[in-house]
Amino acid sequence: MGDYNDHVSEWELGLPTTDELPPLSQPLITPELASAFSISPEPYRTAGDVNRASEMTLSSLRGQYSKLVSNFNSIDNSMCVEFDVDETDRTGTDSKKSETMKRQRLVWTPQLHKRFVDVVAHLGIKNAVPKTIMQLMNVEGLTRENVASHLQKYRLYLKRMQGGGGGLSSEANDQLFDSTPVPPSLNESRSGSGSGSGNVSGHVPMHYGAQMVPMPMPMQMPVFGHMSGYPGFEYGMMQHKDWSGNKFDAVNSYQRISQCDK
DNA sequence: TCAGGAATAT
DNA sequence: CATATTCCTG
């Protein structure tokens, strides 16, 4: 374990130095070129973002969920987080926000929530804890606290669905539904080169135990008398036009849901 | 010390 | 209501 650092410095020997590389804030291709080929620009990243990303990468590398991470990454990527518009500040032009910077109120868009639910479904109840969820969601700018808060609400929602005073409490089976408990001992066994691993079949092993409903989703639920079924999580039928079958147009379709950060 | 989770606060 | 923040616990 201790030799990680040794290896790291070893790798670093062959790498270009920081001043040999173009700054991350600069696009690698000209805007003209980009538009000519319909390439959407990469979202800007601050030094902090980069650091966070590399930390996550490192922690992923040293085991635990290497597999899951790669699965999710390959499915769809480059998600951004959307914040409430406000904040007159902007603290400095760039670089170090000297921390103490106030995080803005995160908005859980249907896309974000979708990711969230997917991840939670993949980890068992056991493993669905804020930190892990956050890492697997792999959303830029998302904090553990964000996830924790959302998770709390989500669990509340789930509870109301099952036991809650609702109508159909056909439970009885709580068989700790869990699909992929994160390979107990699948640690630093990164088989060398293969970054794409065996993940051939695109099927995401999502199983929800019995009547474990992930979310109300669009489906029409018995609407008697008054509208809406469960208050709280009406995602899925929200305003948003997109998110039906996108995510494969790669270059073109990925639209910035927001300005990640500036 | 960190992280999870319920209780609060905004 | 939706999110954030605090507080307690392991």
Side-chain angles (χ1 to χ4, degrees):
Chain A
M1 277 289 201
D3 36 40
Y4 261 114
N5 290 326
D6 296 343
H7 289 315
V8 169
S9 32
E10 210 173 294
W11 299 333
E12 283 177 339
L13 282 179
L15 297 175
T17 67
T18 43
D19 36 42
E20 284 174 317
L21 294 169
L24 285 163
S25 53
Q26 266 179 29
L28 293 174
I29 56 179
T30 69
E32 295 78 32
L33 207 51
S35 68
F37 289 90
S38 318
I39 297 176
S40 323
E42 271 286 299
Y44 287 152
R45 295 189 168 84
T46 65
D49 293 329
V50 175
N51 281 337
R52 236 176 327 100
S54 24
E55 275 171 25
M56 297 210 330
T57 302
L58 275 182
S59 65
S60 304
L61 280 177
R62 42 189 119 206
Q64 313 225 12
Y65 7 68
S66 22
K67 195 189 201 149
L68 290 174
V69 166
S70 66
N71 274 343
F72 273 105
N73 284 349
S74 60
I75 307 273
D76 88 333
N77 212 342
S78 49
M79 246 204 166
C80 273
V81 140
E82 183 176 275
F83 294 106
D84 268 356
V85 274
D86 81 277
E87 193 60 62
T88 45
D89 175 89
R90 217 82 280 180
T91 314
T93 318
D94 160 54
S95 58
K96 289 309 168 56
K97 267 52 189 299
S98 53
E99 63 104 272
T100 332
M101 190 186 58
K102 230 196 332 200
R103 271 245 161 256
Q104 296 170 354
R105 207 181 155 89
L106 171 70
V107 174
W108 284 89
T109 64
Q111 288 94 322
L112 259 189
H113 180 68
K114 214 278 188 179
R115 253 250 170 91
F116 172 84
V117 173
D118 285 351
V119 170
V120 170
H122 269 70
L123 306 166
I125 304 293
K126 232 168 102 174
N127 301 312
V129 298
K131 194 184 182 184
T132 309
I133 297 174
M134 177 198 75
Q135 288 173 142
L136 287 187
M137 283 181 73
N138 191 13
V139 171
E140 174 174 349
L142 191 68
T143 69
R144 190 174 60 83
E145 287 86 349
N146 290 141
V147 175
S149 186
H150 197 64
L151 182 61
Q152 183 179 18
K153 199 182 66 165
Y154 184 67
R155 282 170 171 161
L156 237 47
Y157 167 81
L158 251 38
K159 190 181 293 181
R160 287 169 54 188
M161 289 269 322
Q162 300 193 103
L168 2 159
S169 48
S170 51
E171 44 193 311
N173 121 11
D174 246 14
Q175 51 128 54
L176 295 182
F177 27 67
D178 156 32
S179 30
T180 318
V182 174
S185 48
L186 177 171
N187 286 347
E188 22 265 286
S189 58
R190 223 42 298 234
S191 25
S193 46
S195 42
S197 302
N199 147 28
V200 191
S201 55
H203 78 333
V204 197
M206 275 211 286
H207 298 136
Y208 308 97
Q211 65 283 135
M212 190 26 186
V213 187
M215 264 296 92
M217 274 331 203
M219 50 154 140
Q220 3 77 305
M221 35 180 75
V223 187
F224 298 142
H226 31 244
M227 35 43 296
S228 85
Y230 304 98
F233 276 102
E234 296 308 329
Y235 293 90
M237 53 189 347
M238 296 198 73
Q239 69 274 59
H240 291 65
K241 9 52 195 320
D242 55 85
W243 186 272
S244 337
N246 54 359
K247 73 184 161 196
F248 284 124
D249 298 22
V251 194
N252 285 324
S253 76
Y254 111 48
Q255 359 125 244
R256 194 157 330 335
I257 344 186
S258 70
Q259 66 284 26
C260 300
D261 132 312
K262 345 179 133 174

